[in-house]
Amino acid sequence: YYFVFFGVLSKIYWILKIVQEKVYDEVLSRLKKAYQQIESRIGLPFEENVLYGPLHSKQAVNDYQQALQQIQQVGGKIFYGGQIYKQRKGNYVQPTIITDIQHNTPIVQQETFVPILYVLKCKVKHSFVNSIRLCFLFCLVIWRSCSME
């Protein structure tokens, strides 16, 4: 399997993973276990042993909810996560894994700045290469617009 792009820059999240069909279920199982371990290490970023902190604002929590709604409207599935931690003070949301969504779906191509991992199934090398090209172009656009500021 391949990580196409993983970006965490301050408050920015955009994560996409393309997985070959023959190892897809195993990768999802491992990702779920890894995400479960993260949940035991949630807190304020300056606390010891914390791996995962809050989003930066209430608006980011709203963006998270809207992204999940859009994902479900186009047939995407929440494989893991998708919850807001209402019992915690602050803007905490559950890190989320999304499956059953196409790489060319607008929400997948949109930067949402929230902890959502899109796991895309790849059947053949050709579709993987096309997905890489799409992600590379998207990353260049973000890099170019950020470097101009």
Side-chain angles (χ1 to χ4, degrees):
Y1 61 90
Y2 305 92
F3 270 109
V4 173
F5 181 77
F6 175 79
V8 178
L9 303 171
S10 179
K11 300 169 187 158
I12 299 172
Y13 299 86
W14 189 77
I15 308 170
L16 175 65
K17 187 174 190 113
I18 298 176
V19 182
Q20 290 178 328
E21 188 174 43
K22 64 183 178 179
V23 295
Y24 187 79
D25 292 334
E26 179 185 346
V27 169
L28 279 177
S29 175
R30 289 182 182 194
L31 282 171
K32 183 176 181 179
K33 287 178 186 174
Y35 271 49
Q36 288 170 333
Q37 291 174 5
I38 289 171
E39 289 201 59
S40 66
R41 298 179 66 185
I42 293 174
L44 295 174
F46 52 81
E47 294 175 347
E48 193 172 326
N49 294 319
V50 168
L51 289 177
Y52 182 76
L55 296 178
H56 67 287
S57 67
K58 293 281 185 210
Q59 181 58 50
V61 175
N62 290 337
D63 293 345
Y64 173 81
Q65 289 177 302
Q66 289 175 1
L68 294 177
Q69 288 173 355
Q70 288 178 33
I71 288 163
Q72 291 174 317
Q73 287 173 355
V74 296
K77 304 285 186 267
I78 298 173
F79 177 76
Y80 180 83
Q83 302 297 316
I84 297 173
Y85 292 119
K86 294 180 181 178
Q87 73 278 16
R88 297 185 75 90
K89 185 177 180 183
N91 302 310
Y92 290 91
V93 298
Q94 192 175 26
T96 301
I97 300 171
I98 301 297
T99 61
D100 299 325
I101 195 163
Q102 298 297 313
H103 75 280
N104 58 353
T105 304
I107 188 65
V108 173
Q109 297 175 17
Q110 176 184 333
E111 174 57 82
T112 55
F113 301 99
V114 295
I116 295 176
L117 172 66
Y118 298 97
V119 183
L120 308 178
K121 190 183 294 187
C122 174
K123 291 185 179 188
V124 294
K125 184 178 178 181
H126 179 71
S127 65
F128 171 74
V129 170
N130 287 338
S131 296
I132 291 276
R133 287 182 186 146
L134 174 72
C135 289
F136 183 69
L137 290 173
F138 182 75
C139 296
L140 284 177
V141 169
I142 290 176
W143 175 81
R144 178 74 173 128
S145 64
C146 289
S147 65
M148 293 177 71
E149 293 176 359

